[in-house]
Amino acid sequence: MRVPLVRELGGPEVLVPAEMPDPVPGPGDVVIDVSHVDTLFVETRIRSGAFSD
């Protein structure tokens, strides 16, 4: 599974594509296959460090 890793605060340039093992559902869980995801504006603000103490 391809994922974006965030190893430090910053803008989109800090996102690092990586391969991770596919998730394995536990009892009562399901795994849903998706082809595209969205990023909310507030997520970009959090990642940039705007809300850090």
Side-chain angles (χ1 to χ4, degrees):
M1 170 175 70
R2 199 166 168 192
V3 300
L5 291 181
V6 180
R7 297 184 178 170
E8 60 184 302
L9 296 177
E13 68 278 359
V14 303
L15 296 174
V16 178
E19 287 292 327
M20 301 291 282
D22 288 339
V24 177
D29 293 339
V30 296
V31 174
I32 299 172
D33 186 23
V34 296
S35 61
H36 294 81
V37 297
D38 190 12
T39 301
L40 300 174
F41 176 72
V42 71
E43 293 171 331
T44 63
R45 299 293 294 154
I46 292 168
R47 192 178 63 242
S48 72
F51 300 110
S52 63
D53 291 327

Coordinates of all heavy atoms in Angstrom, one line a residue:
M1 N 0.9 -1.2 0.0 CA 0.0 0.0 0.0 C 0.9 1.2 0.0 O 1.9 1.3 0.7 CB -0.9 0.0 1.3 CG -1.6 1.2 1.5 SD -2.8 1.1 2.9 CE -1.7 1.0 4.3
R2 N 0.6 2.2 -0.9 CA 1.4 3.4 -0.9 C 0.8 4.4 0.0 O -0.4 4.7 0.0 CB 1.3 3.9 -2.4 CG 2.4 4.9 -2.7 CD 2.5 5.1 -4.1 NE 3.4 6.2 -4.3 CZ 3.6 6.8 -5.4 NH1 2.9 6.4 -6.5 NH2 4.4 7.8 -5.5
V3 N 1.6 5.1 0.8 CA 1.2 6.1 1.8 C 2.1 7.3 1.8 O 3.2 7.2 1.4 CB 1.2 5.5 3.2 CG1 0.3 4.3 3.3 CG2 2.6 5.1 3.7
P4 N 1.5 8.4 2.2 CA 2.4 9.6 2.4 C 2.9 9.7 3.8 O 2.1 9.7 4.8 CB 1.5 10.8 2.1 CG 0.1 10.3 2.5 CD 0.1 8.8 2.2
L5 N 4.2 9.7 4.0 CA 4.7 9.8 5.4 C 5.0 11.3 5.7 O 5.5 12.0 4.8 CB 6.0 9.0 5.5 CG 5.9 7.5 5.5 CD1 7.3 6.9 5.7 CD2 4.9 7.0 6.6
V6 N 4.7 11.7 6.9 CA 5.1 13.0 7.4 C 6.1 12.8 8.5 O 5.7 12.4 9.6 CB 3.8 13.8 7.9 CG1 4.2 15.2 8.4 CG2 2.8 13.8 6.8
R7 N 7.3 13.2 8.2 CA 8.4 13.0 9.2 C 8.8 14.3 9.9 O 9.6 14.3 10.9 CB 9.6 12.4 8.5 CG 9.3 11.0 8.0 CD 10.5 10.3 7.4 NE 10.1 9.0 7.0 CZ 10.8 8.2 6.3 NH1 12.0 8.6 5.9 NH2 10.4 7.0 6.0
E8 N 8.3 15.4 9.4 CA 8.6 16.7 10.0 C 7.5 17.7 9.6 O 6.7 17.4 8.7 CB 9.9 17.2 9.5 CG 10.0 17.4 8.0 CD 11.3 17.8 7.4 OE1 11.8 18.9 7.9 OE2 11.9 17.1 6.6
L9 N 7.4 18.7 10.4 CA 6.4 19.8 10.1 C 6.8 20.5 8.8 O 8.0 20.7 8.5 CB 6.2 20.7 11.2 CG 5.7 20.1 12.5 CD1 5.7 21.2 13.6 CD2 4.3 19.5 12.3
G10 N 5.8 21.0 8.0 CA 6.1 21.7 6.8 C 5.0 21.6 5.8 O 4.0 21.0 6.1
G11 N 5.2 22.1 4.7 CA 4.2 22.1 3.6 C 4.2 20.8 2.9 O 4.8 19.8 3.3
P12 N 3.6 20.8 1.7 CA 3.5 19.5 0.9 C 4.9 18.9 0.6 O 5.0 17.7 0.4 CB 2.8 19.9 -0.4 CG 2.2 21.3 -0.1 CD 3.0 21.9 1.0
E13 N 5.9 19.7 0.6 CA 7.2 19.2 0.2 C 7.8 18.2 1.2 O 8.7 17.5 0.9 CB 8.2 20.4 0.0 CG 8.6 21.1 1.3 CD 7.6 22.2 1.7 OE1 6.5 22.4 1.0 OE2 7.8 22.8 2.7
V14 N 7.3 18.2 2.5 CA 7.8 17.2 3.5 C 7.1 15.9 3.4 O 7.5 14.9 4.1 CB 7.6 17.8 4.9 CG1 8.4 19.1 5.0 CG2 6.2 17.9 5.3
L15 N 6.1 15.7 2.5 CA 5.4 14.4 2.4 C 6.3 13.5 1.6 O 6.8 13.9 0.6 CB 4.1 14.6 1.7 CG 3.0 15.4 2.4 CD1 1.8 15.6 1.5 CD2 2.6 14.8 3.7
V16 N 6.5 12.3 2.1 CA 7.4 11.3 1.5 C 6.6 10.1 1.1 O 6.0 9.5 2.0 CB 8.5 10.9 2.5 CG1 9.5 9.9 1.9 CG2 9.3 12.1 3.0
P17 N 6.5 9.8 -0.1 CA 5.8 8.5 -0.5 C 6.6 7.3 0.0 O 7.8 7.3 -0.1 CB 5.8 8.6 -2.0 CG 6.8 9.6 -2.5 CD 7.1 10.5 -1.3
A18 N 5.8 6.3 0.5 CA 6.4 5.1 1.0 C 5.5 3.9 0.8 O 4.3 4.1 0.6 CB 6.7 5.3 2.5
E19 N 6.0 2.8 0.8 CA 5.3 1.5 0.8 C 5.1 0.9 2.2 O 6.1 0.9 2.9 CB 5.9 0.5 -0.2 CG 5.8 0.8 -1.6 CD 4.4 0.7 -2.2 OE1 3.6 -0.1 -1.7 OE2 4.1 1.5 -3.1
M20 N 3.9 0.6 2.5 CA 3.6 0.0 3.8 C 2.8 -1.3 3.6 O 2.2 -1.4 2.6 CB 2.8 0.9 4.7 CG 3.5 2.3 5.0 SD 4.9 2.1 6.0 CE 4.1 2.0 7.6
P21 N 2.9 -2.2 4.6 CA 2.1 -3.4 4.4 C 0.6 -3.1 4.4 O 0.1 -2.2 5.0 CB 2.4 -4.3 5.6 CG 3.4 -3.5 6.4 CD 3.6 -2.2 5.8
D22 N -0.2 -3.9 3.6 CA -1.6 -3.7 3.6 C -2.2 -4.0 5.0 O -1.7 -4.9 5.7 CB -2.3 -4.7 2.6 CG -2.0 -4.3 1.2 OD1 -1.7 -3.1 0.9 OD2 -2.1 -5.1 0.3
P23 N -3.2 -3.2 5.4 CA -3.8 -3.4 6.7 C -4.5 -4.7 6.8 O -5.0 -5.2 5.8 CB -4.7 -2.2 6.9 CG -5.0 -1.7 5.5 CD -3.8 -2.1 4.7
V24 N -4.5 -5.4 7.9 CA -5.2 -6.6 8.1 C -6.3 -6.4 9.1 O -6.1 -5.9 10.2 CB -4.2 -7.7 8.7 CG1 -5.0 -9.0 9.0 CG2 -3.1 -7.9 7.7
P25 N -7.6 -6.6 8.7 CA -8.7 -6.4 9.6 C -8.7 -7.3 10.8 O -8.4 -8.5 10.7 CB -9.9 -6.5 8.8 CG -9.5 -7.5 7.7 CD -8.0 -7.2 7.5
G26 N -9.0 -6.8 12.0 CA -9.2 -7.6 13.2 C -10.7 -8.1 13.3 O -11.5 -7.7 12.4
P27 N -11.0 -8.7 14.3 CA -12.4 -9.2 14.5 C -13.4 -8.0 14.5 O -13.1 -7.0 15.2 CB -12.4 -9.9 15.9 CG -11.0 -10.2 16.1 CD -10.1 -9.2 15.4
G28 N -14.4 -8.1 13.7 CA -15.4 -7.0 13.6 C -15.0 -5.8 12.8 O -15.7 -4.8 12.7
D29 N -13.8 -5.8 12.2 CA -13.3 -4.7 11.4 C -13.4 -5.1 9.9 O -13.6 -6.2 9.5 CB -11.8 -4.5 11.6 CG -11.5 -3.9 13.0 OD1 -12.4 -3.4 13.6 OD2 -10.4 -4.1 13.5
V30 N -13.3 -4.0 9.0 CA -13.3 -4.2 7.6 C -12.2 -3.3 7.1 O -11.8 -2.3 7.7 CB -14.6 -3.8 6.9 CG1 -15.7 -4.7 7.4 CG2 -15.0 -2.4 7.2
V31 N -11.6 -3.6 5.9 CA -10.7 -2.8 5.2 C -11.4 -2.4 3.9 O -11.9 -3.3 3.2 CB -9.4 -3.6 4.9 CG1 -8.4 -2.7 4.0 CG2 -8.7 -3.9 6.2
I32 N -11.3 -1.1 3.6 CA -12.0 -0.6 2.4 C -10.9 -0.1 1.4 O -10.0 0.6 1.8 CB -12.9 0.6 2.7 CG1 -14.0 0.1 3.7 CG2 -13.5 1.2 1.5 CD1 -14.9 1.2 4.2
D33 N -11.0 -0.6 0.2 CA -10.0 -0.2 -0.9 C -10.4 1.1 -1.4 O -11.6 1.3 -1.8 CB -10.0 -1.3 -1.9 CG -8.9 -1.1 -3.0 OD1 -7.9 -0.4 -2.7 OD2 -9.1 -1.6 -4.1
V34 N -9.5 2.1 -1.4 CA -9.8 3.4 -2.0 C -8.7 3.7 -3.1 O -7.6 3.2 -3.0 CB -9.8 4.5 -1.0 CG1 -10.9 4.3 0.0 CG2 -8.5 4.6 -0.2
S35 N -9.1 4.5 -4.0 CA -8.1 4.8 -5.1 C -7.6 6.3 -5.0 O -6.5 6.6 -5.5 CB -8.7 4.6 -6.5 OG -9.8 5.4 -6.6
H36 N -8.4 7.2 -4.3 CA -8.0 8.6 -4.2 C -8.5 9.1 -2.8 O -9.5 8.6 -2.2 CB -8.7 9.4 -5.2 CG -8.2 9.2 -6.6 ND1 -8.7 8.1 -7.3 CD2 -7.3 9.8 -7.4 CE1 -8.1 8.1 -8.5 NE2 -7.3 9.1 -8.5
V37 N -7.7 10.0 -2.2 CA -8.1 10.6 -0.9 C -7.9 12.1 -1.1 O -7.3 12.6 -2.0 CB -7.2 10.1 0.2 CG1 -7.5 8.6 0.4 CG2 -5.8 10.4 0.0
D38 N -8.5 12.8 -0.1 CA -8.4 14.3 -0.1 C -7.7 14.8 1.1 O -7.7 14.1 2.1 CB -9.9 14.8 -0.2 CG -9.9 16.3 -0.4 OD1 -8.9 16.9 -0.8 OD2 -11.0 16.9 -0.3
T39 N -7.2 15.9 1.1 CA -6.6 16.5 2.3 C -7.3 17.8 2.6 O -7.5 18.7 1.7 CB -5.1 16.9 2.0 OG1 -4.4 15.7 1.7 CG2 -4.4 17.5 3.2
L40 N -7.8 17.9 3.8 CA -8.5 19.1 4.2 C -7.5 20.3 4.5 O -6.4 20.0 4.9 CB -9.3 18.9 5.5 CG -10.4 17.8 5.3 CD1 -11.0 17.5 6.6 CD2 -11.4 18.2 4.3
F41 N -8.0 21.5 4.3 CA -7.1 22.7 4.6 C -6.6 22.6 6.0 O -5.4 22.9 6.2 CB -7.9 24.0 4.3 CG -7.1 25.2 4.7 CD1 -6.0 25.6 3.9 CD2 -7.4 25.9 5.8 CE1 -5.2 26.7 4.2 CE2 -6.6 27.1 6.1 CZ -5.6 27.4 5.3
V42 N -7.4 22.3 7.0 CA -6.9 22.3 8.4 C -5.8 21.3 8.6 O -4.9 21.5 9.4 CB -8.1 22.0 9.4 CG1 -8.6 20.6 9.3 CG2 -7.7 22.4 10.8
E43 N -5.8 20.2 7.8 CA -4.7 19.2 7.9 C -3.4 19.8 7.4 O -2.3 19.5 8.0 CB -5.0 17.9 7.1 CG -6.2 17.1 7.7 CD -6.6 16.0 6.7 OE1 -6.5 16.2 5.5 OE2 -7.1 15.0 7.2
T44 N -3.4 20.6 6.4 CA -2.2 21.3 5.9 C -1.7 22.3 7.0 O -0.5 22.4 7.2 CB -2.4 22.0 4.6 OG1 -3.4 23.0 4.8 CG2 -2.9 21.0 3.5
R45 N -2.6 22.9 7.7 CA -2.2 23.9 8.8 C -1.6 23.1 9.9 O -0.6 23.6 10.5 CB -3.4 24.7 9.2 CG -4.1 25.5 8.1 CD -3.2 26.6 7.6 NE -3.0 27.6 8.7 CZ -2.0 28.4 8.9 NH1 -1.0 28.4 8.0 NH2 -1.9 29.2 9.9
I46 N -2.2 22.0 10.3 CA -1.6 21.2 11.4 C -0.2 20.7 11.0 O 0.7 20.8 11.8 CB -2.6 20.0 11.8 CG1 -3.8 20.6 12.4 CG2 -1.9 19.0 12.7 CD1 -5.0 19.5 12.5
R47 N -0.1 20.2 9.8 CA 1.2 19.7 9.4 C 2.3 20.8 9.3 O 3.4 20.5 9.5 CB 1.0 19.0 8.0 CG 2.2 18.2 7.6 CD 2.0 17.5 6.3 NE 1.8 18.4 5.2 CZ 0.7 18.5 4.4 NH1 -0.3 17.7 4.6 NH2 0.7 19.4 3.5
S48 N 1.9 22.0 9.0 CA 2.8 23.1 8.9 C 3.3 23.5 10.3 O 4.2 24.3 10.4 CB 2.2 24.3 8.2 OG 1.2 24.9 9.0
G49 N 2.6 23.1 11.4 CA 3.0 23.5 12.7 C 2.3 24.7 13.2 O 2.6 25.3 14.3
A50 N 1.2 25.1 12.5 CA 0.5 26.3 12.9 C -0.1 26.2 14.3 O -0.4 27.3 14.9 CB -0.6 26.6 11.8
F51 N -0.4 25.0 14.8 CA -1.1 24.9 16.1 C -0.2 24.4 17.1 O -0.7 23.9 18.2 CB -2.3 24.0 15.9 CG -3.3 24.5 14.9 CD1 -3.5 23.9 13.7 CD2 -4.1 25.7 15.2 CE1 -4.4 24.4 12.8 CE2 -5.0 26.2 14.2 CZ -5.1 25.5 13.0
S52 N 1.1 24.4 16.9 CA 2.0 23.9 18.0 C 2.1 24.9 19.1 O 2.0 26.1 18.9 CB 3.4 23.6 17.4 OG 4.0 24.7 16.8
D53 N 2.5 24.4 20.3 CA 2.6 25.3 21.4 C 4.0 26.0 21.4 O 5.0 25.6 21.1 CB 2.5 24.5 22.7 CG 1.1 24.0 22.9 OD1 0.2 24.7 22.5 OD2 0.9 22.9 23.5

